[in-house]
């Protein structure tokens, strides 16, 4: 997941769609994911305010929003589509299977040209299936290395620039009794993200340049062998086995001062600051220096064809993607803007200074292969099994080979 998991499972009653009697009124249904971590900052509040403003200027359009947790939203939309009751819009984690089935409007079908052209280029590219853009990026994040400044200062350490320095720093932190010298969350919650960050640092990735899966490449096997031998086997990853450690638990441990280093996204800043943890961030180390590419994550807005409200959907989404609204959402949840205009505004604003390290990584980031219709299944398989690669007596080559075989089969549609 980009990379953010909600603690809420809030829902709203779904209303009908279509024309409202003789009034000519159209009701749009939007399914949205919750980015909040409490009732006070639920995405429900954001959407309520945005919809109220839009409806005040569009008397014949009503927008009904259902908000679900990230644990539920993709499943809910899948169930609605399967039942023949697709929403007009859905803000979800993957889109390619719907696009491949002909169920989605392309961005060119619904968005005005200025709005469509404003998306950041790497996000536009990631939103394509067969060279047409169907996924509209809605929120983005990148990863950097977080480190506990207090623990580093007490140990006389400097932030690592490559993997060998990272392992040495972790060893020094272990000697001082730090509970998690390096937190390595390869549990089922978001293991596909942690995995990808390490693969990129090792010169590999999930796919090659044309989108073919390369999960068991020599570079990837070497990366996981290094993790097993230099971090896990040396007990530098803490008391919880990586396969059992979820991202949310790793973040909570960092906010409690129990973690020396971990890969994190922008929301960890607020979480750590609330607990008074002093932290620093640096670019993710790679095998021999700064990683050539970091992982970018985007969540996607989609527009379904079923109800035929193309013009109304487009007008509403043009409003959603205005600079003001993109900035407001990004600032509320410590996420990165998906448009050039909002990104430039954030870069120039002193209010957003803390997000600049993440902004700098986004233009050159590598995203999940979400344009592959098989990605949802492949990602689920990685989350379920990747932790076994670094377990005691784990065999990275064999495990990655199994994941590769399953990915190839899934991509073939068999």
């Amino acid at each position: 997941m980009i990379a953010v998991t909600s603690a809420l499972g809030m829902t709203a009653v779904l209303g009908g769609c279509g024309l409202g009697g003789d009034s000519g009124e159209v009701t749009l249904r939007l399914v949205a994911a919750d980015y909040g971590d409490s009732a006070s900052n639920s995405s429900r509040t954001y959407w309520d305010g945005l919809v109220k403003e839009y409806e005040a200027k569009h008397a014949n359009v009503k927008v009904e929003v259902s908000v679900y947790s990230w644990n539920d939203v993709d499943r809910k939309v899948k169930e609605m589509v399967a039942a023949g009751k697709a929403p007009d819009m859905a803000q979800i984690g993957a889109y390619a299977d719907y696009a491949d089935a002909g169920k989605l409007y392309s961005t060119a079908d619904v968005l005005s040209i200025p709005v469509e052209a404003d998306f950041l280029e790497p996000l536009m590219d990631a939103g394509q299936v067969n060279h047409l853009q169907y996924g509209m990026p809605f929120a983005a994040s990148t990863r950097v290395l977080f480190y506990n400044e207090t623990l580093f200062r007490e140990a006389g350490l400097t932030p690592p620039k490559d993997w060998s320095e990272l392992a040495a720093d972790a060893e020094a932190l272990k000697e001082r009794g730090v509970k998690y010298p390096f937190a390595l969350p390869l549990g089922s919650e978001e293991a596909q993200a942690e995995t990808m960050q390490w693969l990129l640092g090792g010169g590999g990735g999930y796919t090659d340049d044309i989108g073919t899966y390369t999960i068991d490449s020599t570079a990837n096997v070497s990366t996981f062998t290094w993790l097993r031998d230099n971090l896990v086997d040396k007990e530098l990853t803490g008391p919880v086995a990586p396969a059992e450690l979820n991202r949310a638990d790793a973040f909570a441990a960092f906010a409690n001062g129990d973690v020396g280093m971990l890969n994190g996204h922008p929301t960890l800043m607020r979480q750590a600051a609330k607990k008074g943890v002093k932290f620093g961030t640096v670019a993710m180390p790679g095998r021999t220096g700064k990683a050539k590419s970091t992982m970018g994550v985007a969540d996607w807005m989609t527009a379904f064809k079923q109800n035929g409200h193309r013009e109304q959907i487009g007008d509403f989404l043009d409003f959603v993607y205005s600079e003001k609204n993109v900035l407001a959402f990004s600032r509320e949840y410590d996420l990165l803007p998906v448009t050039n205009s909002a990104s430039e505004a954030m870069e120039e604003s002193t209010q957003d200074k803390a997000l600049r390290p993440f902004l700098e990584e986004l233009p050159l980031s590598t995203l999940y292969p979400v344009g592959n219709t098989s990605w949802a299944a492949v990602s689920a398989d990685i989350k379920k099994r990747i932790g076994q690669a670094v377990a005691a007596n784990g065999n990275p080559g064999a495990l990655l080979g199994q994941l590769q075989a399953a990915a190839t089969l899934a991509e073939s549609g068999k």
Side-chain angles (χ1 to χ4, degrees), residues 160-167 197-204 217-230 283-293:
K161 298 182 180 66
D162 57 31
W163 287 358
S164 62
E165 291 184 7
L166 185 149
Q197 188 63 70
W198 283 100
L199 296 184
L200 292 171
S217 68
T218 300
N220 292 346
V221 172
S222 177
T223 291
F224 266 80
T225 301
W226 188 92
L227 282 172
R228 181 196 63 188
D229 295 347
N230 293 277
M284 268 298 301
R287 184 183 294 277
T288 58
K290 179 184 176 181
K292 292 182 180 179
S293 178

Side-chain angles (χ1 to χ4, degrees), residues 87-88 102-106 109 134 303-309 313:
D88 295 285
K103 296 182 181 297
L104 300 181
Y105 289 117
S106 72
D109 288 333
Y134 294 93
F304 284 85
K305 292 180 177 180
Q306 180 178 320
N307 303 314
H309 298 146
I313 290 171

Side-chain angles (χ1 to χ4, degrees), residues 387-404:
Q388 300 169 23
V390 296
N393 301 316
N395 186 327
L399 193 283
L400 293 178
Q402 293 167 16
L403 291 171
Q404 173 67 33

